[in-house]
Amino acid sequence: MKIAVSGTGYVGLSNAVLLAQNNEVVALDIDQAKVDLINNNQSPIVDAEIEDYLANKELNLKATLDKEEAYKGAEFIIIATPTDYDTEKNYFNTKTVEAVIEDVLEINPKATMIIKSTIPVGYTKAIREKYNTDNIIFSPEFLREGKALYDNLYPSRVVVGEESQRAKKFADLLVEGAIKEDIPVLFTDPTEAEAIKLFANTYLAMRVSYFNELDTYAELKGLDTKQIIDGVCLDPRIGDHYNNPSFGYGGYCLPKDTKQLRVNYEGIPNDIITAIVESNDTRKDHIAASILKKEPEVVGVHRLIMKSGSDNFRASAIQGVMDRLENKDVELVIYEPTLEEEEEFAGFRVITDLKEFKDMSDLIVVNRMSQELEDVEEKVYTRDLYRRD
């Protein structure tokens, strides 16, 4: 079977690699450099499993810039283009999704389009009506940055927003490519599938916020955060996971998904959903205030990324902290290896030499502790208690 994938970020490329084990897959992107890397069996993103599979597995995968080449003859076309949150409209910007739909309807109107991009609740039904087609299904993705293919090989569940034979056929393709056995598969209505994605990510954001607020309390009261968390999490109903304090939740999904769900709640009574979004801002305010209390002249920001094993720093929490420190009486410098060819980022100086960075920083701020900072640990400010994400 031929399958096309539009977009080669974490979602698109991990799905393309997964499905290319047993199918012909053509991945479409607008970036020539990314296309060339994929066609040379190299990953354009940092993800250990994607890198391994591209280099060492037999995959029927080709990347292209050509829409016709990608879409013609494909039975399924996966849409995995970015849907960033538009802060002015308070809504996901779905223009890239609609651009793909329009191209597919012109080139291969009989293909079944599978939207993997995150979308607002109610979008699938509305877009079917707008384009007068039923060939659009939403199937949410539950991936971690840097572990995207791993999470497709060992998925917690597969959700497809339609109860039909073609939905089952698509789910079977995902299950076939996975290593995990006995994968739960759920077929729902499209709007329920959209809600599953937003509510799942908002719950994760809530858990991050809960332990961050616990940490804020302990830090200001002079208590041992780790002792409290260890005791709380021994309760099996709570569990010892996703409980490591941080500077806030960030990355591709949680910030935009929580804001979108809050908008979807317009006119519906709620307290928790709104509080989750506000709590993340409050956490960054607290982190910035804690840094300023130490009265450093030069604050070194070690890595902009959200998670270890990732190269993504889009909407990372540390950037929110940096925004709050800007125009304060401190100099900020950044050490970020992925910016080795840049002299500055967002107006802040980038230092490419780690030793120089350590020497010049009075205080080094890091969301997730790194072994390369152990020799200057007395300079480090972090809330990372467990040395894990």
Side-chain angles (χ1 to χ4, degrees):
M1 181 190 303
K2 180 182 177 182
I3 300 167
V5 178
S6 182
T8 61
Y10 279 107
V11 173
L13 189 54
S14 61
N15 274 272
V17 170
L18 179 86
L19 295 168
Q21 295 176 97
N22 301 297
N23 304 276
E24 176 193 357
V25 177
V26 181
L28 177 70
D29 205 276
I30 59 173
D31 186 334
Q32 181 70 61
K34 292 176 77 173
V35 167
D36 290 343
L37 282 169
I38 294 166
N39 287 335
N40 284 303
N41 303 318
Q42 295 177 292
S43 176
I45 57 178
V46 174
D47 184 295
E49 282 73 25
I50 290 177
E51 292 166 14
D52 175 41
Y53 271 58
L54 283 174
N56 302 310
K57 299 288 184 179
E58 287 290 330
L59 302 176
N60 189 352
L61 173 62
K62 179 183 181 183
T64 183
L65 300 170
D66 188 335
K67 299 172 189 176
E68 295 259 350
E69 181 183 9
Y71 298 152
K72 270 190 175 177
E75 185 169 342
F76 289 105
I77 296 173
I78 295 173
I79 303 174
T81 55
T83 50
D84 294 326
Y85 187 80
D86 189 322
T87 54
E88 291 185 6
K89 295 181 180 178
N90 287 325
Y91 216 66
F92 281 144
N93 184 340
T94 56
K95 288 181 180 177
T96 61
V97 174
E98 282 144 48
V100 175
I101 291 171
E102 289 167 10
D103 287 337
V104 172
L105 290 175
E106 183 177 331
I107 297 168
N108 185 2
K110 292 184 179 180
T112 299
M113 289 170 269
I114 307 288
I115 299 176
K116 284 285 185 181
S117 307
T118 306
I119 52 178
V121 177
Y123 180 82
T124 304
K125 286 185 176 179
I127 212 70
R128 283 176 174 180
E129 289 181 13
K130 177 180 177 179
Y131 290 106
N132 191 30
T133 178
D134 288 328
N135 286 344
I136 301 172
I137 299 174
F138 176 65
S139 175
E141 206 55 81
F142 307 99
L143 304 178
R144 294 169 293 171
E145 295 159 22
K147 300 286 285 183
L149 180 54
Y150 180 91
D151 288 339
N152 264 317
L153 294 169
Y154 300 92
S156 57
R157 72 281 209 195
V158 169
V159 178
V160 183
E162 185 173 277
E163 299 179 73
S164 65
Q165 281 302 115
R166 64 183 182 179
K168 184 180 183 305
K169 190 173 187 178
F170 181 72
D172 287 344
L173 291 171
L174 298 179
V175 170
E176 179 188 29
I179 294 172
K180 180 181 175 181
E181 297 181 357
D182 300 321
I183 299 165
V185 179
L186 182 64
F187 300 98
T188 71
D189 287 345
T191 307
E192 281 75 0
E194 294 158 354
I196 287 168
K197 176 62 185 286
L198 294 187
F199 275 103
N201 277 347
T202 301
Y203 178 86
L204 294 175
M206 179 181 70
R207 189 169 171 109
V208 172
S209 297
Y210 178 85
F211 285 104
N212 280 343
E213 289 203 1
L214 184 160
D215 178 57
T216 297
Y217 179 88
E219 186 180 11
L220 293 180
K221 291 290 187 179
L223 305 177
D224 188 319
T225 300
K226 188 173 182 298
Q227 288 184 9
I228 300 171
I229 291 177
D230 287 347
V232 167
C233 292
L234 285 171
D235 187 327
R237 296 170 298 176
I238 298 171
D240 187 22
H241 62 278
Y242 222 64
N243 58 359
N244 191 20
S246 66
F247 294 163
Y249 60 78
Y252 279 109
C253 295
L254 299 193
K256 66 178 185 178
D257 290 6
T258 51
K259 290 173 182 175
Q260 180 62 61
L261 187 58
R262 181 175 61 173
V263 169
N264 285 134
Y265 257 88
E266 186 175 357
I268 298 172
N270 82 94
D271 291 310
I272 293 175
I273 304 301
T274 298
I276 292 166
V277 176
E278 293 174 351
S279 175
N280 208 41
D281 290 332
T282 300
R283 177 62 170 178
K284 294 171 195 171
D285 292 342
H286 166 70
I287 295 296
S290 297
I291 291 168
L292 291 172
K293 276 183 187 176
K294 298 180 182 295
E295 300 183 343
E297 292 184 11
V298 178
V299 174
V301 175
H302 182 271
R303 306 303 307 267
L304 299 173
I305 57 173
M306 271 304 301
K307 296 183 177 184
S308 55
S310 167
D311 62 345
N312 168 54
F313 46 82
R314 186 168 73 177
S316 61
I318 187 61
Q319 292 183 66
V321 175
M322 290 163 60
D323 290 342
R324 287 158 173 79
L325 294 175
E326 193 173 10
N327 300 323
K328 302 295 183 182
D329 195 21
V330 292
E331 179 187 357
L332 266 78
V333 295
I334 300 167
Y335 175 75
E336 175 52 67
T338 62
L339 296 174
E340 58 185 10
E341 296 181 4
E342 305 291 334
E343 293 185 358
E344 66 171 44
F345 175 84
F348 301 110
R349 189 151 56 111
V350 174
I351 308 299
T352 56
D353 183 84
L354 181 59
K355 185 179 185 305
E356 180 187 357
F357 169 80
K358 290 177 181 178
D359 290 344
M360 71 187 302
S361 300
D362 299 316
L363 185 71
I364 296 174
V365 177
V366 57
N367 187 49
R368 288 295 178 243
M369 188 60 181
S370 168
Q371 286 185 341
E372 64 187 15
L373 295 178
E374 288 179 353
D375 61 323
V376 289
E377 196 160 357
E378 72 282 356
K379 283 187 176 187
V380 172
Y381 177 77
T382 184
R383 302 311 299 164
D384 178 11
L385 302 181
Y386 295 96
R387 301 298 189 261
R388 57 172 165 77
D389 290 326

